[in-house]
Amino acid sequence: MNLTFTGLVVGAIYALFALGYTLVYGVLRLINFAHSEVFMWGSFGAVWAMTLLGARSGMSWPAAIGLLLVALVAAMAVSGGVALVVERIAYRRLREKHAPPLVALISAIGASFMLSEIMGLRDRIAGWLNLDTVLAPYVRQARENTAFVNPLPNVQVLEIAGFQVRSNQLIVLIAAVLMMIALDQFVSRSRLGRGVRAVSQNPEAAALMGVNQKRVVQLTFFIGGLMAGAAALLYLVHIGVTRYNVGFVLGIKAFTAAVLGGIGNIRGALVGGLVLGLVENYATLLGLASSWKDVVSFLLLVVVLLFRPTGILGESLGKARA
């Protein structure tokens, strides 16, 4: 039971993170490899918000929930803003010039390295701008782990088959699932969501029907960034630290979850993330060290793609229905 519940918690974070890959691929048929750094910037947005507000561990529930909501807004705002910058700098001009997909892929990888190194060099950048004293709490030890102050009281709230469910785990799992359901309903039922599905299914016909493709693409990147920011905060609640390159391995796993469930499929990202989290945890039953979790995850991806190349669900974003 311990492995199952922990796997679901980790898998929910993967799934929320994977939504950015799924949305962008569904609309543009491109893989946004800078999405991992969008997640990383969101994690620092949450850390900085907590530092600014003077959060401390073990606060009362009302105060802790309030602080986490502020941190959630900060993480989502930072990630959403960075995602729009990536779309503007790394993709828009190439899209307007009808550049080959490989060029856009290289551009995304370059943007990923740029965003990562900017964060890793933030102490030096602050020094060059003579702001190192003012920004000291936010820029020190730029290439080391940065701790997240979790104000939630981490107490037992449930006991299932002898396994103690902690409050942090339950909050992460419930929050991730609720946000994924909200996004699925938004894409399925809202007017903007119908525009996203229309562009995904047939861009030319959507343009003839008056759908603004440029706005849809911006909306797609922005929503993906918001979900990455939310995933970053939940990751911090669960793990407690971040760093300038935290998005690299996590980004690959989130991409794996998206492909596993069916790239371009929102519900597929949920299924793929949960399956990936469970398989990772159950791998320890085989006597494998924790360092082998990554190997097991990618082996699962290879096996699924061999027998079902479209992923577990395999339905594209454009064909999604309410």
Side-chain angles (χ1 to χ4, degrees):
M1 190 63 196
N2 184 9
L3 292 175
T4 300
F5 196 82
T6 305
L8 290 175
V9 171
V10 174
I13 296 173
Y14 290 159
L16 200 58
F17 192 175
L19 290 174
Y21 292 108
T22 286
L23 286 169
V24 172
Y25 181 84
V27 172
L28 295 180
R29 294 296 184 268
L30 296 172
I31 304 299
N32 178 21
F33 279 114
H35 187 61
S36 56
E37 272 52 60
V38 172
F39 170 91
M40 178 271 293
W41 274 78
S43 70
F44 276 97
V47 169
W48 292 337
M50 287 300 193
T51 302
L52 182 64
L53 295 173
R56 64 184 188 277
S57 301
M59 300 179 71
S60 64
W61 279 103
I65 295 297
L67 285 173
L68 281 182
L69 288 176
V70 174
L72 177 64
V73 172
M76 295 176 75
V78 170
S79 287
V82 172
L84 289 177
V85 170
V86 169
E87 187 275 331
R88 180 66 180 87
I89 295 177
Y91 282 104
R92 185 180 302 179
R93 187 67 174 171
L94 298 178
R95 193 173 68 251
E96 292 172 349
K97 294 293 184 181
H98 304 287
L102 181 60
V103 175
L105 177 64
I106 295 172
S107 177
I109 294 173
S112 174
F113 280 109
M114 180 190 72
L115 290 170
S116 177
E117 288 304 314
I118 287 175
M119 185 60 72
L121 296 172
R122 64 187 186 278
D123 52 349
R124 298 187 183 183
I125 295 173
W128 294 336
L129 298 174
N130 293 322
L131 296 174
D132 48 333
T133 302
V134 177
L135 299 178
Y138 310 98
V139 302
R140 59 188 173 211
Q141 297 179 325
R143 301 186 84 84
E144 303 296 329
N145 286 344
T146 301
F148 173 75
V149 180
N150 185 359
L152 283 175
N154 191 19
V155 298
Q156 177 186 344
V157 292
L158 289 173
E159 184 169 340
I160 304 175
F163 171 65
Q164 296 181 354
V165 178
R166 313 295 293 183
S167 56
N168 286 354
Q169 295 173 316
L170 196 60
I171 287 174
V172 168
L173 182 58
I174 293 175
V177 171
L178 287 177
M179 280 186 276
M180 283 182 282
I181 291 173
L183 178 62
D184 180 71
Q185 292 301 303
F186 171 80
V187 172
S188 299
R189 299 179 182 277
S190 71
R191 181 178 179 182
L192 291 175
R194 288 195 294 271
V196 171
R197 298 205 324 268
V199 173
S200 174
Q201 192 169 26
N202 193 323
E204 292 78 15
L208 291 174
M209 295 298 292
V211 177
N212 188 325
Q213 294 188 44
K214 179 179 177 181
R215 184 175 299 172
V216 166
V217 171
Q218 289 177 323
L219 176 66
T220 301
F221 272 86
F222 183 64
I223 293 176
L226 294 181
M227 294 298 104
L233 176 64
L234 298 182
Y235 171 82
L236 289 172
V237 170
H238 184 61
I239 302 298
V241 295
T242 186
R243 59 183 289 124
Y244 76 99
N245 59 356
V246 70
F248 180 71
V249 173
L250 284 173
I252 295 176
K253 288 187 177 183
F255 174 66
T256 300
V259 175
L260 190 61
I263 189 71
N265 187 321
I266 292 176
R267 296 170 188 176
L270 171 59
V271 173
L274 295 179
V275 169
L276 185 62
L278 288 172
V279 169
E280 272 191 359
N281 270 27
Y282 282 136
T284 59
L285 292 177
L286 302 176
L288 298 176
S290 59
S291 58
W292 281 80
K293 284 185 176 182
D294 299 345
V295 177
V296 172
S297 301
F298 302 135
L299 179 61
L300 173 66
L301 175 65
V302 171
V303 171
V304 170
L305 292 182
L306 282 174
F307 294 98
R308 188 171 174 81
T310 57
I312 296 173
L313 298 186
E315 185 184 8
S316 70
L317 179 66
K319 295 178 183 179
R321 291 291 183 266

